[in-house]
Amino acid sequence: MTVEFEYWWLLVLPLFFTLGWIAARVDIKQLLSESTTLPAAYFKGLNFLISDQHDKAVEAFSEAVQANTDSLELHFALGSLFRRTGETDRAINMHLNLLEKKELTPNQKSAVKAELAQDYLKAGLFDRAEELFKGLDDTRYRQPALRALLEIYVREREWIQAIDTATELERLSGVPFRREIAQYYCELAMNEIIAQNHDAARKQLAFALDANKNCVRANVLLGDLETTEGAHQAAITHWKRIEFQQPEYLGLVAGKMLKSYRAMDSLNEGLVQLNTYLETYKLPSLMSVLYEATLAEEGAEKAARLARNELIRQPSLTTLDQLLQARAMADDVNNQDIQLMQQTVRNAIGNRAAYHCNQCGFRAKQYHWQCPACNAWESLPAEPSEAVSREMTIKKNNAK
Ligand SMILES: [Zn+2]
């Protein structure tokens, strides 16, 4: 019995030894202070953030930062709040003060610089932001820095630097930037077109197609260049290639194509071509161009027939408006009634047809390659959408 008792002690002793060793290495004081001063203000701040009370969150986080002057993470949280509430000067001052602390390690300094660069970017101080982002050689910040630099170059329309940065970003992240790079080349081409350097513009557009063989804008611009030189057949050849890139964009060049066919005295060939496109791709903007041309060239009767056939194929208020217009022009009977109907349809359509950005929802009356609101490329759909017809579809579906 006594022998067994001594054995137990032999087992317990190392356990006590280990516990003592752990206790010596854990700073109880620090644990206690972190669990008292930090969470109170910090979690209060988080609560305000969740309930969207940004001003109160700033107050709570400032309090937490004062209680924990050494916590970089807390400073960064407060800094990002400052940026979000538009108080970029406060964020800048705070991060500049942090940088003056001598006890920061090189890693911590890079982290503060990365935050400061974000402040400058948000404040619109692009030169200073660019300088800081470029100087961040820490690999942890390389990708976010490149993304920020790309944003700066696009905003400042520095396309060559944008191309280099996007290429590097693509290499590092594996995320493709082909569409954007092709657009940057198109922007360079635009500059050359404005300066009337057509050959230089063509070179940039070839680069654009090299970067992204589906770059529709490059073929639109190549065609435009040919028409300014009177080479209509060559222009049509470029525009026709859009069918094999992204046919939904054919509506963008339909009007121009017809003009070039007309300039070559072969309007009929153009009408046949657009009719084929309409039958294959059923694009509303193609229908509008075709309708106007048919009305002008072949008269109201033929235009009405075109609109009627299209309306049977797919219901659309715009086509109904066209049918009523052509009817009003073709018939003399009941002209007033038809005008009244047409007026009603036009009121229903209103100004609602627009291009809606698929990134931010911005409504544009005209097509833009880059969304004016969120700066995304090719984020507007190729065709404007009729808000009315969507509402009608919803009502129809509800009725079922
Ligand atoms: Zn947008």
Side-chain angles (χ1 to χ4, degrees):
M1 197 65 190
T2 31
V3 179
E4 269 177 51
F5 190 69
E6 276 166 13
Y7 269 121
W8 265 107
W9 266 110
L10 280 174
L11 283 171
V12 169
L13 269 173
L15 182 70
F16 273 108
F17 184 80
T18 320
L19 279 176
W21 184 83
I22 293 169
R25 265 148 194 84
V26 175
D27 192 340
I28 304 284
K29 247 193 203 168
Q30 193 194 330
L31 267 184
L32 280 177
S33 80
E34 275 184 13
S35 65
T36 50
T37 56
L38 171 64
Y42 184 72
F43 287 112
K44 212 162 70 183
L46 275 185
N47 253 335
F48 285 131
L49 258 191
I50 290 163
S51 55
D52 268 340
Q53 293 173 277
H54 288 156
D55 291 348
K56 287 189 178 168
V58 165
E59 241 171 70
F61 275 106
S62 302
E63 201 182 301
V65 163
Q66 272 157 18
N68 289 267
T69 45
D70 291 337
S71 165
L72 276 185
E73 293 308 321
L74 265 178
H75 279 90
F76 295 163
L78 181 59
S80 116
L81 250 181
F82 280 148
R83 284 198 295 268
R84 208 180 315 159
T85 50
E87 296 171 90
T88 42
D89 45 343
R90 288 181 79 181
I92 291 170
N93 283 338
M94 188 179 73
H95 292 133
L96 281 176
N97 283 337
L98 269 182
L99 275 184
E100 279 169 13
K101 281 193 172 181
K102 290 197 179 69
E103 57 269 33
L104 287 186
T105 65
N107 263 350
Q108 288 174 325
K109 265 211 164 115
S110 300
V112 179
K113 279 184 185 167
E115 292 294 318
L116 184 61
Q118 294 284 352
D119 302 339
Y120 285 143
L121 183 64
K122 189 74 202 285
L125 301 166
F126 297 137
D127 286 357
R128 286 190 215 178
E130 183 186 346
E131 202 185 306
L132 269 182
F133 278 127
K134 271 185 177 168
L136 279 175
D137 36 19
D138 193 321
T139 48
R140 284 177 303 165
Y141 305 110
R142 189 73 189 133
Q143 279 191 43
L146 283 173
R147 280 180 192 279
L149 281 170
L150 184 59
E151 193 186 325
I152 293 170
Y153 295 141
V154 169
R155 279 197 203 195
E156 307 237 287
R157 310 182 67 78
E158 301 280 0
W159 304 116
I160 294 173
Q161 278 157 306
I163 291 166
D164 291 345
T165 311
T167 309
E168 173 72 355
L169 202 49
E170 198 174 60
R171 197 182 60 80
L172 281 178
S173 66
V175 178
F177 277 84
R178 297 284 100 193
R179 183 193 289 175
E180 288 80 3
I181 291 172
Q183 288 286 347
Y184 305 153
Y185 279 118
C186 287
E187 290 291 338
L188 285 172
M190 286 295 294
N191 292 346
E192 299 292 1
I193 291 171
I194 291 165
Q196 307 226 318
N197 300 326
H198 288 188
D199 284 344
R202 282 193 183 92
K203 212 181 268 175
Q204 300 294 356
L205 293 170
F207 288 144
L209 285 168
D210 263 353
N212 172 19
K213 66 177 173 37
N214 283 333
C215 180
V216 168
R217 190 185 184 188
N219 274 325
V220 174
L221 290 174
L222 280 167
D224 290 350
L225 269 175
E226 297 298 343
T227 54
T228 55
E229 294 172 7
H232 291 286
Q233 189 59 59
I236 289 170
T237 307
H238 284 300
W239 291 329
K240 275 185 174 174
R241 290 191 182 133
I242 294 169
E243 185 187 1
F244 307 104
Q245 293 183 305
Q246 302 180 67
E248 62 271 28
Y249 283 97
L250 278 171
L252 287 182
V253 290
K256 298 177 184 195
M257 250 175 149
L258 220 47
K259 239 187 194 168
S260 282
Y261 275 114
R262 188 177 282 129
M264 295 190 304
D265 254 344
S266 40
L267 186 70
N268 264 339
E269 196 189 326
L271 289 175
V272 170
Q273 179 69 67
L274 289 197
N275 247 313
T276 315
Y277 286 153
L278 180 66
E279 269 166 32
T280 320
Y281 304 110
K282 302 175 178 58
L283 303 173
S285 56
L286 279 177
M287 175 59 200
S288 294
V289 173
L290 252 181
Y291 169 79
E292 293 297 338
T294 311
L295 189 65
E297 303 296 327
E298 301 180 9
E301 200 62 59
K302 276 212 163 165
R305 197 185 306 152
L306 175 76
R308 191 183 313 113
N309 287 341
E310 181 59 23
L311 210 49
I312 292 167
R313 209 159 31 185
Q314 51 181 356
S316 143
L317 283 182
T318 312
T319 318
L320 178 59
D321 176 41
Q322 287 158 349
L323 176 62
L324 289 172
Q325 186 194 30
R327 271 273 76 90
M329 289 167 87
D331 308 333
D332 288 328
V333 217
N334 279 340
N335 208 338
Q336 272 190 336
D337 287 354
I338 288 178
Q339 276 177 3
L340 195 63
M341 283 188 257
Q342 200 194 357
Q343 200 51 53
T344 314
V345 171
R346 285 215 171 151
N347 282 344
I349 302 172
N351 287 325
R352 297 206 209 183
Y355 300 92
H356 296 264
C357 171
N358 61 30
Q359 301 284 313
C360 72
F362 179 78
R363 265 177 103 254
K365 288 306 283 176
Q366 270 191 327
Y367 185 77
H368 298 272
W369 292 105
Q370 186 184 24
C371 171
C374 71
N375 290 335
W377 294 94
E378 294 177 39
S379 62
L380 300 186
E383 290 280 317
S385 54
E386 265 177 39
V388 175
S389 70
R390 224 185 299 144
E391 276 165 28
M392 285 174 75
T393 322
I394 292 165
K395 275 181 198 153
K396 212 165 73 185
N397 289 342
N398 286 345
K400 271 178 198 166

